[in-house]
Amino acid sequence: MNVLEVSNLRKTFGDEVVLNDLNLVVPEHTATVLIGASGSGKSTLLRCINLLEQIDDGEIRIDGIEISDPHINEDTVRRKLGMVFQSFNLFPHMTVLENITLAPIRVHRVSKEEAIESAKTLLSRFDLLDKADQYPDRLSGGQQQRVAIIRSIANKPRLLLLDEVTSALDPVLVNEVLSIVRDLKADGMTMVLATHEMGFATQVADEVCFLKDGHILERGTAKEVLESPQLPETKDFLKRVHEAGRL
Amino acid sequence: MENRSPARSNSGRAFSWVPSAREKNRQVARAKIARKRIAIATASSFLVIGALLVGLVTSPGWEVVKKTFFDWNYGLEILDLVVKGLVTNVTLTIVASIVIGIIALGLALARTSKSAAMTPFRILSTVYVDVFRGVPLLLVILLVGFGVPALRLSGVTNSVIVLGTVAVIITYSAYVAEVIRSGILSIHPSQRAAARSLGLSQAQTMRHVVLPQAFKRVVPPLLNDLVALLKDTGLVSILGVTDAVRAAQIQGSRTFNYTPYVIAAILFLLITIPLTRYTDRVLQRSINKQNAQGSA
């Protein structure tokens, strides 16, 4: 069963075409990794799937339901999706626990006790239980991003969108965030990730898509795309990533 | 899961430290610079403030001014009358600020709302704010205070104090609405994006994510407005309300001694200065609380 189907997607910002004729299928329990230079359209694609951007053509379906239909209730769609941002975007006026339980209580109408209970279970699973009553600005970047991931999975989303979740972190903290994502993948979470961490892409990706100028130029398993790329553009991109020491 | 270097086990050990000769020299130098700065500040303060005082007391009319504005014995005599007036100002401020808070929040929410059903309210609140932010408060007080009774509406009060309060509420709601709106707009869009992506509706995002952060930011300007409101309640005296300003005026024109005005000014300051100090402290405390939580 396909959780996400994107067909012929087009998105422009003014005269600039950001996504062009983009097609993507993400089956249940799989992870799709989007790679490509900054500005290639990775983040925009994730924001379109989450209805944070309005698309200009094509179609997006979640569990077979067309969410690009203007009549669709955006809130209902987003309830099925989790999104994690590069800049964490935790709510600074709420404690870690309040951040995590806000949506379960207010949106999913879970009882407060139950929400706190399952939030604490998640926190202890990822070694953050001692931070439950702290405010986000007391946490390291890696801890903040882990809380942000927990916050988005507390809603038990059908699909998790991760937008360069380690790009704002220093190298030492990257691994603690990636290990959560690996755990989620092992749990069978369906995911779409934009990342610059190629080694990590190899570990979790069922499919790797190389984006350039708003189009998926090359796609395949991590082995195919990252180890024996076919197109000169992909080779060039990977070479530059390699030179930057990220492979 | 986390690779911590073994050096971490050393953290927390207290190292004994003796300042180096270089640091001792620096401390001496810093102390010397500090002493010099204090000396300059003291000298210049005495010079400037002293010159102003000398200019004041040597002015040709000083003796007369002293008698008509700073007659403390007379001031003491009329003190209770002015205080009684000030109670009116304070009561009016408290009542008005509650109503203003509610109306202003409504105006700000209406103006920042994007929902289609809210369109008429968005237009109306924009017009309202444009108009009442641009008309002098004194004019609004006169128009409401004399205009409403002239309409001879049945069931509508002709009490000048009520009408004066209404006029103050009308104008200040526009000011405060703009302060709240600026607070709402100052919250970064990524906060909304995060809230919406969790499935929160527009209204829930506003209530749980945007407004709490916005309010914290607008506390200082709102307190400024509260101080301004207290002072501006003095304007309702034009309708004949016996507030502190009016009480001082009555006494002043009775004896041609203006000490009551000075007394009224001092009484206002007795409230406004602690109020501003207090609000600074409240703000600082809330910042400290959020920064220090869980650091123990």
Side-chain angles (χ1 to χ4, degrees):
Chain A
M1 181 173 180
N2 294 329
V3 175
L4 174 70
E5 292 170 71
V6 176
S7 39
N8 311 109
L9 179 63
R10 180 185 167 85
K11 171 69 191 169
T12 58
F13 288 119
D15 291 335
E16 196 191 344
V17 181
V18 185
L19 297 173
N20 193 17
D21 197 25
L22 190 139
N23 293 283
L24 182 69
V25 172
V26 180
E28 197 169 10
H29 308 310
T30 67
T32 299
V33 170
L34 310 171
I35 61 168
S38 299
S40 58
K42 305 185 298 289
S43 296
T44 307
L45 173 57
L46 296 179
R47 291 176 66 86
C48 286
I49 296 170
N50 205 6
L51 300 179
L52 290 172
E53 303 289 348
Q54 196 178 25
I55 65 172
D56 291 302
D57 206 347
E59 194 182 83
I60 303 174
R61 288 177 180 274
I62 301 281
D63 284 331
I65 299 162
E66 194 201 332
I67 62 163
S68 37
D69 179 349
H71 295 295
I72 201 100
N73 181 336
E74 294 179 4
D75 297 335
T76 325
V77 174
R78 293 201 187 99
R79 266 169 227 174
K80 294 191 211 165
L81 304 173
M83 176 123 179
V84 185
F85 301 85
Q86 183 178 341
S87 51
F88 328 138
N89 298 359
L90 292 177
F91 306 131
H93 61 298
M94 294 182 182
T95 63
V96 165
L97 198 62
E98 287 164 350
N99 262 280
I100 298 170
T101 55
L102 175 66
I105 294 171
R106 301 289 168 187
V107 180
H108 299 268
R109 300 283 162 202
V110 175
S111 77
K112 198 176 172 195
E113 296 72 32
E114 212 179 308
I116 289 174
E117 181 78 32
S118 46
K120 285 191 167 168
T121 309
L122 283 169
L123 282 170
S124 69
R125 179 177 169 193
F126 298 113
D127 279 341
L128 285 164
L129 193 56
D130 57 325
K131 309 290 181 203
D133 296 321
Q134 298 203 351
Y135 284 90
D137 61 359
R138 300 296 302 176
L139 306 183
S140 73
Q143 290 167 339
Q144 289 191 45
Q145 192 60 295
R146 281 149 69 199
V147 171
I149 293 174
I150 292 171
R151 182 175 71 176
S152 68
I153 61 171
N155 293 319
K156 304 188 178 70
R158 280 287 288 158
L159 175 67
L160 188 60
L161 308 168
L162 300 136
D163 187 6
E164 294 191 23
V165 292
T166 58
S167 296
L169 300 175
D170 73 57
V172 185
L173 300 175
V174 166
N175 201 41
E176 64 181 57
V177 171
L178 295 185
S179 96
I180 276 206
V181 182
R182 274 190 290 264
D183 287 358
L184 296 179
K185 166 67 179 151
D187 291 353
M189 177 71 76
T190 313
M191 298 189 268
V192 181
L193 315 85
T195 188
H196 291 301
E197 302 285 338
M198 297 304 157
F200 170 67
T202 314
Q203 292 164 11
V204 298
D206 294 287
E207 186 182 45
V208 173
C209 298
F210 171 64
L211 267 81
K212 189 170 163 52
D213 302 328
H215 197 76
I216 298 179
L217 279 190
E218 187 164 356
R219 66 175 85 206
T221 63
K223 211 173 160 63
E224 287 165 0
V225 177
L226 300 177
E227 287 173 26
S228 48
Q230 300 298 309
L231 294 176
E233 288 91 343
T234 320
K235 284 176 189 162
D236 181 56
F237 172 71
L238 290 172
K239 189 171 150 251
R240 280 188 292 136
V241 172
H242 188 72
E243 281 163 5
R246 293 300 261 281
L247 196 66
Chain B
M1 184 154 119
E2 285 158 57
N3 296 321
R4 293 222 158 109
S5 63
R8 200 182 136 74
S9 57
N10 283 338
S11 72
R13 190 207 290 173
F15 292 95
S16 63
W17 167 75
V18 180
S20 66
R22 185 196 283 180
E23 175 60 20
K24 277 179 189 156
N25 286 338
R26 272 201 293 258
Q27 283 171 357
V28 171
R30 283 195 201 109
K32 203 171 152 189
I33 293 169
R35 275 197 303 275
K36 200 172 154 195
R37 286 172 56 87
I38 291 170
I40 292 174
T42 315
S44 72
S45 301
F46 269 112
L47 208 69
V48 173
I49 297 169
L52 286 173
L53 283 178
V54 168
L56 185 67
V57 298
T58 58
S59 64
W62 173 242
E63 279 309 315
V64 182
V65 168
K66 211 166 83 176
K67 237 183 267 162
T68 47
F69 283 86
F70 301 102
D71 183 345
W72 301 124
N73 286 330
Y74 179 52
L76 218 56
E77 232 171 83
I78 52 84
L79 182 63
D80 62 323
L81 287 170
V82 183
V83 168
K84 220 185 267 171
L86 192 69
V87 172
T88 307
N89 293 89
V90 173
T91 317
L92 211 146
T93 302
I94 293 168
V95 173
S97 59
I98 293 166
V99 183
I100 289 165
I102 296 165
I103 296 176
L105 180 61
L107 287 169
L109 287 176
R111 269 196 92 174
T112 49
S113 147
K114 291 182 181 76
S115 105
M118 289 294 284
T119 306
F121 299 103
R122 190 157 56 240
I123 295 169
L124 287 174
S125 60
T126 308
V127 171
Y128 179 95
V129 170
D130 278 354
V131 168
F132 289 106
R133 217 167 37 144
V135 178
L137 174 57
L138 191 55
L139 271 181
V140 179
I141 291 174
L142 290 171
L143 286 171
V144 173
F146 296 132
V148 171
L151 292 172
R152 296 169 191 272
L153 296 167
S154 63
V156 176
T157 177
N158 284 346
S159 148
V160 280
I161 186 155
V162 173
L163 292 174
T165 312
V166 167
V168 170
I169 289 170
I170 288 173
T171 298
Y172 266 79
S173 295
Y175 296 162
V176 174
E178 283 302 277
V179 172
I180 296 176
R181 190 171 75 100
S182 73
I184 290 172
L185 296 179
S186 77
I187 302 304
H188 197 271
S190 64
Q191 287 284 310
R192 280 169 206 265
R196 299 308 302 279
S197 76
L198 287 169
L200 271 74
S201 65
Q202 289 272 20
Q204 287 174 321
T205 300
M206 185 56 83
R207 173 157 169 236
H208 298 291
V209 176
V210 178
L211 277 185
Q213 296 186 60
F215 272 127
K216 201 165 275 180
R217 282 191 199 175
V218 298
V219 165
L222 283 185
L223 285 161
N224 274 336
D225 277 349
L226 184 65
V227 172
L229 172 65
L230 175 65
K231 293 183 298 170
D232 279 353
T233 54
L235 289 174
V236 301
S237 59
I238 194 125
L239 298 178
V241 177
T242 317
D243 72 326
V245 176
R246 182 81 181 149
Q249 200 177 18
I250 292 168
Q251 297 311 315
S253 50
R254 200 166 56 86
T255 58
F256 297 104
N257 185 303
Y258 301 118
T259 308
Y261 289 132
V262 177
I263 296 291
I266 292 170
L267 288 176
F268 271 106
L269 284 175
L270 283 178
I271 299 177
T272 54
I273 291 177
L275 192 62
T276 45
R277 288 287 156 273
Y278 172 73
T279 52
D280 285 353
R281 268 215 349 248
V282 168
L283 182 71
Q284 193 58 47
R285 230 183 356 229
S286 83
I287 292 169
N288 291 348
K289 190 184 156 206
Q290 213 180 79
N291 289 341
Q293 193 92 19
S295 65

